[in-house]
Amino acid sequence: MSRTGLKKLIRPLVRELHAYVPGEQPKIKGLIKLNTNENPYPPSPKVLRAVKNSVDSRLRLYPNPTSEKLREKLAKLHKCKPENIIIGNGSDELLALAVRGFVEPVAADVNRRKNRAFTSAATVQYFTPSYSLYRVLADIHGAAKNAVALKQDFGLPVVEELKRGKFWNFDAALTFVTTPNAPSGRGYITAELEKICHAQKGVVVLDEAYVDFAEENALKLALKFPHVLVARTFSKAYSLCFQRVGYFVGNAELIAALDKIRDSYNVNGLGQIAAEATLDDLDYYRANFWKIVFTREKLSRELAKLGFRVLPSQTNFILVEPPKFPAKVWLQKLRGKKILVRWFSAPEVIDFLRITIGTPSEAAALVKMVRGIL
Ligand SMILES: Cc1ncc(COP(=O)(O)O)c(C=O)c1O
């Protein structure tokens, strides 16, 4: 079959899709990796032991299909019921399930498309800049997108501003809010989020991937409002990117709807074991949060002294506007010095670099290289 013939076998939507671009996972050793918001500290010794002790003949068996034990432990931690929790293969999987579960694909029928109520039912809404996966998930599903700009300082517009601006859709089927925001690192006050949740008619997902490094969390909103879900992950604060475990907390009916459409064995067994052991050793992780926050504040001060504009962060990364050269040039210069950071071409952040907080020695190496470049 010719190449064009083969292409025709692929749905036009997929052919034209701009896929999500993950940060580089370098194959060469010796790089300082500050580009994908991983935790610089390893999982706790107890977690490593639990995983190692599970690598035996049980690998031939399917894992628990509903991640039952993990949901029970999380329910205890968050003072809710296991029915309020669904576990995913990373929170990314659950974000995708939310789109599939709550949003209509855009209709082929023009009349339905013109119908305002239908358009809202087919709309995935999010602020920009925020997690760039939301756009891709909407595109994969064939949903309508409503991307609305945050304020210039990456603050959340208040409900009155959203009403006045006219672009925001209070009836959107699904609204994602990254809180604290990525890639800016800006934290949001729960009371502000509550007002937005209160005004929204469709489902709201508060994506709290970085919340353990923040001053507040909005988990109570998932237990208060039936249409609000909070997304959490073991990837960032709990050093488990490799295992891919995330979860949603929220109303049992919404959770049950997502449960219906997930893969039967969506969370691998070792991931479940690692996440359960993590919850038995939270003090270890809390100590790491503090170390990361301390390094973040110190690095922010040092870069500011060197002429960088450093935005305040409540995450394990900082967004900085570098002096002297464009951000993209800094990306390459740092790469030349074996330091990987992240640069995005989106217009709101094109002048910035996003730097993951590493260990104190990685931060010191970064500052030294920056001085050299300057
Ligand atoms: C805002 C946000 N949400 C969710 C995720 C996905 O996390 P997970 O590893 O649980 O899929 C990320 C990862 O970069 C993220 O930045």
Side-chain angles (χ1 to χ4, degrees):
M1 195 182 285
S2 70
R3 264 194 81 193
T4 40
L6 258 182
K7 266 194 176 161
K8 278 193 188 147
L9 300 182
I10 301 166
R11 290 173 60 207
L13 181 150
V14 178
R15 258 186 268 149
E16 283 148 31
L17 183 75
H18 291 283
Y20 177 73
V21 185
E24 181 185 350
Q25 294 296 346
K27 288 183 195 76
I28 40 173
K29 286 201 173 138
L31 293 182
I32 296 183
K33 197 172 173 303
L34 307 176
N35 65 332
T36 48
N37 299 342
E38 288 143 327
N39 196 306
Y41 301 107
S44 86
K46 282 185 193 158
V47 169
L48 293 178
R49 221 174 303 128
V51 173
K52 280 180 192 156
N53 290 344
S54 310
V55 180
D56 55 29
S57 65
R58 85 190 93 158
L59 292 192
R60 75 192 173 81
L61 298 173
Y62 283 109
N64 183 283
T66 60
S67 307
E68 197 177 345
K69 270 199 193 153
L70 180 55
R71 282 171 44 245
E72 280 167 6
K73 283 192 175 210
L74 283 168
K76 230 179 185 175
L77 179 71
H78 295 311
K79 301 186 176 58
C80 60
K81 297 202 173 111
E83 300 89 271
N84 296 118
I85 291 172
I86 182 169
I87 315 290
N89 181 30
S91 54
D92 278 351
E93 185 201 17
L94 298 171
L95 302 175
L97 285 184
V99 176
R100 276 162 50 200
F102 305 130
V103 185
E104 293 290 346
V106 173
D109 170 356
V110 178
N111 290 328
R112 278 192 90 192
R113 249 186 291 153
K114 279 186 186 157
N115 175 322
R116 203 182 134 69
F118 178 77
T119 312
S120 295
T123 295
V124 175
Q125 177 165 254
Y126 46 89
F127 290 105
T128 53
S130 68
Y131 188 27
S132 53
L133 183 69
Y134 309 143
R135 172 193 63 75
V136 182
L137 295 178
D139 285 344
I140 291 171
H141 189 60
K145 290 168 294 196
N146 194 36
V148 174
L150 287 169
K151 293 193 199 184
Q152 238 184 351
D153 61 358
F154 305 109
L156 276 181
V158 295
V159 170
E160 291 69 32
E161 286 170 311
L162 292 172
K163 280 187 180 154
R164 246 182 284 128
K166 293 199 170 64
F167 298 115
W168 188 256
N169 185 345
F170 289 94
D171 297 314
L174 178 61
T175 298
F176 287 118
V177 183
T178 318
T179 171
N181 179 254
S184 72
R186 183 166 174 144
Y188 298 133
I189 295 166
T190 306
E192 282 181 58
L193 294 165
E194 179 159 1
K195 284 183 193 151
I196 292 180
C197 290
H198 188 70
Q200 247 7 77
K201 307 275 188 314
V203 175
V204 180
V205 172
L206 301 174
D207 183 348
E208 292 197 328
Y210 300 100
V211 83
D212 295 285
F213 306 104
E215 286 161 18
E216 292 188 37
N217 73 72
L219 196 96
K220 68 173 190 185
L221 301 183
L223 302 173
K224 175 172 180 177
F225 292 104
H227 65 302
V228 175
L229 297 164
V230 162
R232 295 274 180 95
T233 177
F234 282 86
S235 294
K236 316 291 178 177
Y238 301 94
S239 306
L240 273 188
C241 288
F242 199 76
Q243 296 279 23
R244 312 294 304 122
V245 188
Y247 62 99
F248 272 7
V249 183
N251 177 276
E253 205 164 324
L254 295 192
I255 295 288
L258 298 179
D259 207 46
K260 268 168 123 175
I261 58 171
R262 67 174 174 81
D263 286 347
S264 321
Y265 302 103
N266 63 329
V267 186
N268 79 83
L270 294 178
Q272 291 184 36
I273 284 165
E276 285 165 30
T278 298
L279 295 177
D280 291 335
D281 208 8
L282 287 177
D283 284 347
Y284 168 88
Y285 294 93
R286 289 186 183 127
N288 288 348
F289 306 159
W290 286 114
K291 281 194 255 178
I292 289 167
V293 168
F294 184 80
T295 309
R296 178 184 80 199
E297 297 308 305
K298 185 164 184 273
L299 177 65
S300 298
R301 283 193 299 275
E302 286 174 346
L303 290 177
K305 267 192 227 149
L306 293 171
F308 283 63
R309 180 158 84 95
V310 184
L311 302 191
S313 167
Q314 291 199 26
T315 61
N316 68 336
F317 56 85
I318 49 175
L319 194 71
V320 302
E321 188 177 2
K324 205 162 169 181
F325 310 107
K328 195 176 176 187
V329 173
W330 271 99
L331 174 84
Q332 286 147 359
K333 284 183 183 286
L334 287 170
R335 168 93 213 197
K337 307 250 183 209
K338 298 199 164 174
I339 296 183
L340 284 187
V341 297
R342 194 94 194 258
W343 172 79
F344 299 96
S345 59
E348 313 89 348
V349 287
I350 195 165
D351 295 328
F352 292 85
L353 294 175
R354 194 194 68 188
I355 304 174
T356 303
I357 305 304
T359 59
S361 67
E362 287 172 332
L366 172 70
V367 171
K368 190 172 162 207
M369 294 307 170
V370 165
R371 278 211 186 95
I373 292 168
L374 285 170

